[in-house]
Amino acid sequence: MSPSRISSRIRRIKPSASAAAAERFAELRRQGKDIVNLAIGEPDFDTPAHIREAGCAAIERGETRYTPVAGTLALRQAIAAKLQRENGLDYAPRDIIVTCGAKHALFNALAVTVEEGHEVIIPAPFWVSYPDMVLACDGTPVIVACREEDDFRLTPEALEAAITLSTRWLVFNSPTNPTGTTYTTAQLRALADVLLRHPQVMVLTDDIYEHIRFVDAAPRHLLAIEPALRERTLVVNGVSKTYAMTGWRIGYAAGPADIVAALDMLQSQSTSGVCSISQAAAVVALNTAPDFLPQWVATYRERRDTATRLLNAIPGIRARAPGGAFYLYPHCGGLIGKRTPEGKTLDTDNDVVLFFLEAAGVMVLAGTPYGVSPYFRMSTATSLAQIEEGCARIARAVALLG
Ligand code: PLP
């Protein structure tokens, strides 16, 4: 291997597929191309006005200085109250650290706990960043493929089979990006029973899509179902998706004292506390009833239903209606092996996605970086009109395949 100035831990990771798609879309737009973007990974709603105003008010009050590394007390109190109220979890402000988005909390959690030889179980399809975060922290991702027939749920049997004495973490994300998979209380209970048998396994719950769900009763949090897991669970969440605050960069982690202290130390020597203005806005977000949310969720649901119906009408594509989040993960196996009008054979979901972009002007993401193929991820975080136009274009392009 040629000598490199870049460390081996960085050389073993790759750029995020969704971030790369966002950049590609911006580039195509600059070139004047007419592209329907169904690759978006953030709400298309604006941050609600009362939260925006809280940010402006913080600036005017002069809240523009460093905050404590772990976040302001007001924000950690608001997070503690939220975890109690919405999840039935009992954490004090000292058990909580505020981070630069949930992504930062997940990365730092791995950084302070994972060493070479440690395995991290990641159910697939997974959010693209998890395996690379593990690799960047010198660990070994252990990918557990979940089946479409099981609605892409991690089963207790698959979890049990993946655990070894070297397992450090299970990363558990529900509703899941990219499949929207949700779990019932009974299904969470069954996973908890497996975890109870393996005390070396810690649990990183990524709850970022918790409020974007279309199933009626929200199940209790895994940890509320099995409080005995508390000393080995880190609860990660944030305001990005629920409150349409992706750019404000506020996430958080709540968990055992030693891990939160290590997170605090790492942040104290790297990023320090996160943006003071964003923290003030997040206090208001969490302390105010989210009256806008039922309407947003109803909108996501209508889009999900429309997208599912339109995709299932296209020969070669099979789409399930997910229980949450704002993505669909349709199967495109029926298009594999087909030939484009230019004579190219579609061998993989990467080829299918490229064909959609070039022949139809529709951007979706290939399933390959999400860990289960042949599928693609379609976002519904855009208008119904864009979803209808995108599906109509895909249908016309698919009709040209031989
Ligand atoms: N976790 C999952 C599953 C996500 O899909 C995302 C964003 O797409 C994040 C975490 C990151 O959230 P944040 O913007 O708070 O860093």
Side-chain angles (χ1 to χ4, degrees):
M1 190 191 293
S2 62
S4 170
R5 296 193 294 196
I6 306 304
S7 67
S8 58
R9 82 174 69 86
I10 294 306
R11 276 186 281 135
R12 61 176 96 99
I13 67 174
K14 56 189 178 318
S16 147
S18 41
E23 278 166 33
R24 177 122 172 82
F25 175 70
E27 173 60 27
L28 290 168
R29 260 285 174 74
R30 273 195 295 278
Q31 294 170 8
K33 300 246 165 69
D34 166 28
I35 307 290
V36 176
N37 187 359
L38 300 177
I40 303 164
E42 59 183 333
D44 54 323
F45 302 108
D46 288 331
T47 305
H50 65 284
I51 302 173
R52 300 199 305 267
E53 283 157 14
C56 295
I59 295 176
E60 292 308 325
R61 281 198 306 272
E63 289 181 25
T64 53
R65 300 181 188 281
Y66 290 135
T67 73
V69 170
T72 63
L73 182 60
L75 180 51
R76 285 178 293 127
Q77 282 169 336
I79 294 166
K82 176 263 179 246
L83 291 171
Q84 179 65 258
R85 183 176 69 239
E86 297 180 357
N87 308 109
L89 301 178
D90 197 12
Y91 286 102
R94 69 172 174 281
D95 305 323
I96 294 166
I97 182 161
V98 178
T99 55
C100 176
K103 199 173 202 170
H104 187 208
L106 294 163
F107 186 91
N108 281 2
L110 296 167
V112 302
T113 54
V114 171
E115 303 197 52
E116 212 179 315
H118 285 157
E119 296 172 358
V120 178
I121 296 176
I122 303 173
F126 45 73
W127 180 40
V128 286
S129 293
Y130 297 141
D132 289 280
M133 285 182 182
V134 173
L135 289 170
C137 295
D138 302 332
T140 305
V142 173
I143 308 300
V144 179
C146 301
R147 301 178 327 153
E148 188 184 337
E149 303 88 278
D150 298 326
D151 277 330
F152 296 111
R153 266 183 214 102
L154 176 65
T155 61
E157 297 75 25
L159 174 59
E160 181 76 59
I163 294 174
T164 72
L165 287 176
S166 302
T167 306
R168 193 64 153 173
W169 289 100
L170 163 67
V171 179
F172 187 73
N173 169 225
S174 170
T176 310
N177 177 3
T179 57
T181 297
T182 55
Y183 290 74
T184 63
T185 299
Q187 287 160 345
L188 293 176
R189 175 72 259 165
L191 293 176
D193 287 341
V194 175
L195 292 164
L196 285 177
R197 288 198 287 276
H198 300 280
Q200 79 280 19
V201 182
M202 300 190 285
V203 191
L204 199 48
T205 71
D206 178 347
D207 306 332
I208 198 83
Y209 293 101
E210 66 175 339
H211 287 298
I212 305 174
R213 60 170 73 234
F214 316 117
V215 277
D216 284 343
R220 293 161 71 213
H221 195 276
L222 178 69
L223 193 49
I225 290 169
E226 187 42 81
L229 293 173
R230 183 185 168 100
E231 272 310 298
R232 49 186 170 115
T233 297
L234 193 71
V235 175
V236 173
N237 206 332
V239 297
S240 296
K241 315 286 178 174
T242 302
Y243 299 92
M245 291 178 70
T246 46
W248 299 76
R249 310 307 303 131
I250 295 285
Y252 52 87
D258 58 335
I259 295 184
V260 172
L263 290 170
D264 190 287
M265 188 164 63
L266 178 58
Q267 255 178 223
S268 78
Q269 296 292 24
S270 51
T271 53
S272 295
V274 308
C275 169
S276 58
I277 299 150
S278 297
Q279 291 192 59
V283 170
V284 170
L286 291 171
N287 284 345
T288 313
D291 297 336
F292 53 88
L293 207 50
Q295 183 54 52
W296 287 9
V297 173
T299 303
Y300 288 131
R301 182 200 290 258
E302 187 189 3
R303 295 167 176 176
R304 173 202 70 164
D305 292 343
T306 300
T308 308
R309 178 172 51 76
L310 294 175
L311 287 171
N312 279 323
I314 302 173
I317 296 180
R318 179 179 72 226
R320 281 174 180 251
F326 40 66
Y327 310 105
L328 268 68
Y329 200 65
H331 183 260
C332 58
L335 304 183
I336 301 296
K338 301 259 183 202
R339 283 168 80 81
T340 69
E342 289 73 37
K344 185 179 178 327
T345 304
L346 304 180
D347 290 324
T348 64
D349 54 25
N350 285 317
D351 293 340
V352 170
V353 160
L354 203 60
F355 171 67
F356 289 170
L357 185 61
E358 285 169 359
V362 178
M363 185 178 264
V364 292
L365 297 174
T368 302
Y370 292 89
V372 179
S373 291
Y375 291 84
F376 61 93
R377 190 190 82 162
M378 174 188 276
S379 167
T380 54
T382 188
S383 70
L384 212 46
Q386 284 286 286
I387 291 168
E388 285 167 349
E389 171 66 15
C391 291
R393 287 186 186 196
I394 291 176
R396 285 200 294 276
V398 166
L400 300 175
L401 291 172

